[in-house]
Amino acid sequence: MGKNKPSNKKIFWWVGGIFVLLIGGGLILRVTGVIGQNTGEIEVETATAKLKTITQLVSSSGRIQPEVEVIIRPDVSGEIIELSVKEGDFVKKGDLLVRIKPDIFQARIDELNAALLTQKARLEQTRASLIQAESAFRKNKELYDKDLISELEFTQIKSEYESQKASLKASEYQVESAQAQLRRAKEELDQTVIRAPQDGTVTGLDVEAGERVLGNTQMAGTEMMRISLLDKMEVLVEVNENDIVNVNLADTARIEVDAYPERRFNGIVTEIANSARTTGAGTNEQITNYQVKVRIVTPHNLAMSGTELRRTETSENVSESFAPNFKPGMSATVDVETETAVNVTSVPIQAVTIRDFSKDKASKEEGESASESADVLVVKEDIRKVVFVVENGKAVRKEVETGISDNSHIQILSGIDTGDEVVIGSYRTLSKTLNDGDAVKVSDQQIIALAH
């Protein structure tokens, strides 16, 4: 008996230690809220619906390009003997750009001048023959009328006269043809000198003096350079088919250019394409876009408009005097303001979710026909937009009608009022967990009020 006493004492201490640990762990779990505080409430984040001005945006990315860009191609082929500009030069309408070697065209003019003189000489010779034939015709007609010559002889003389008249006409046409060829040759000679068709900046130069270029006779000639109006730039973007219906001519736009990350520029929609640009046709990745041109109305590239830029910059007016220098091909993002609603009831976009009301209907009908368990209830989906409003500690589901939205907020046309506390999170809670009538607890860290 005496040998068992130490063993029982050891067991007692082990049991006591385990009991103390259990009590301590329970207190810790209770303090941290893991146990003992489960009231069935769902923790949610809320925001207050308030009046706000919402501007619906259609966003897209694209490239900056000149509104007007003229591609210079030669009308005649030949060697460039003079190149009067370099890339970046500003030119006035009529300024000399390129001169093509004119020797072959000058030789052609000399040749055609000689041919024209030959045709004129033949014309005079034919005219003299006609005068002679006309005189013979008249004399023999008098003799024929007096029956002094035979009809056959008179017919031959008449035919000769008519033939000379036709020859004169042919000679006149040959002279006109030679003159036309000469005019064409002179025009080709003039085309060896290429001048600027408009004011602008040389934005691309693809040739050098001494190169040979092809004219536009039978195909597109050599592209020599481009002249652009850099003080009138636009952004070319592609808008998805789902958004293009909201974009209209003259819509205001805000433009962000990658080269100027801290600034936004004003724009206006000037052109909307009617034909679509489709990529991945016939596949699951098919995309249909429409090109939209947005003119940059903020003054820009003032030093490239052909006039001196006279401006004084001080610490008071630096931002006002700032004028960006855009270059063709720069990346830009455009936000087109398609519609604005002023002072309307708004909530964060994430507050609006969807629920299938057919499930409620199915549950109700299932309860009413519990005795007829063999029947199968078939109910069509009834998807509606809803917002959960916190009232007396419960989430009340309210069906809403929405209007336009911006990047963060959505307009509520009906269903809730300004001042209602709406549930905005978490996402999982809103999309799956939360139901009408659930008890909720508002998170102390997420109570958001929308500013005007």
Side-chain angles (χ1 to χ4, degrees), residues 301-322:
N301 294 9
L302 299 181
M304 302 178 187
S305 61
T307 57
E308 285 192 29
L309 181 61
R310 296 180 180 177
R311 180 175 70 223
T312 56
E313 296 187 359
T314 64
S315 58
E316 289 80 17
N317 67 352
V318 171
S319 60
E320 295 178 1
S321 60
F322 171 76

Side-chain angles (χ1 to χ4, degrees), residues 26-100:
L27 290 174
I28 293 173
L29 292 175
R30 183 176 181 86
V31 170
T32 56
V34 175
I35 62 173
Q37 294 184 2
N38 185 11
T39 61
E41 294 179 341
I42 300 174
E43 187 169 305
V44 296
E45 302 167 5
T46 63
T48 304
K50 288 195 174 183
L51 296 179
K52 179 179 173 61
T53 297
I54 295 180
T55 300
Q56 181 172 272
L57 302 177
V58 171
S59 300
S60 185
S61 298
R63 300 279 180 181
I64 294 177
Q65 65 181 24
E67 273 194 42
V68 179
E69 183 177 61
V70 179
I71 299 176
I72 306 297
R73 303 178 189 269
D75 291 312
V76 296
S77 302
E79 177 188 344
I80 297 176
I81 60 173
E82 183 179 349
L83 184 61
S84 302
V85 295
K86 61 182 182 297
E87 188 166 352
D89 284 353
F90 181 85
V91 295
K92 292 281 190 179
K93 182 177 180 179
D95 286 353
L96 176 65
L97 302 176
V98 176
R99 194 185 299 274
I100 297 174

Side-chain angles (χ1 to χ4, degrees), residues 129-142:
S129 297
L130 175 62
I131 292 173
Q132 184 178 358
E134 183 181 8
S135 177
F137 169 75
R138 289 179 179 177
K139 183 185 294 185
N140 283 279
K141 187 175 186 306
E142 292 177 2

Side-chain angles (χ1 to χ4, degrees), residues 4 31 55 62 64 91 155 166 176 195 202 219 225 293 298 340 343 353 377 395 441:
N4 292 333
V31 170
T55 300
I64 294 177
V91 295
T155 301
E176 290 178 2
R195 299 185 180 277
V202 179
M219 62 184 72
M225 66 184 72
K293 293 181 179 179
T298 300
T340 299
N343 287 336
T353 185
L377 295 174
K441 175 185 178 183

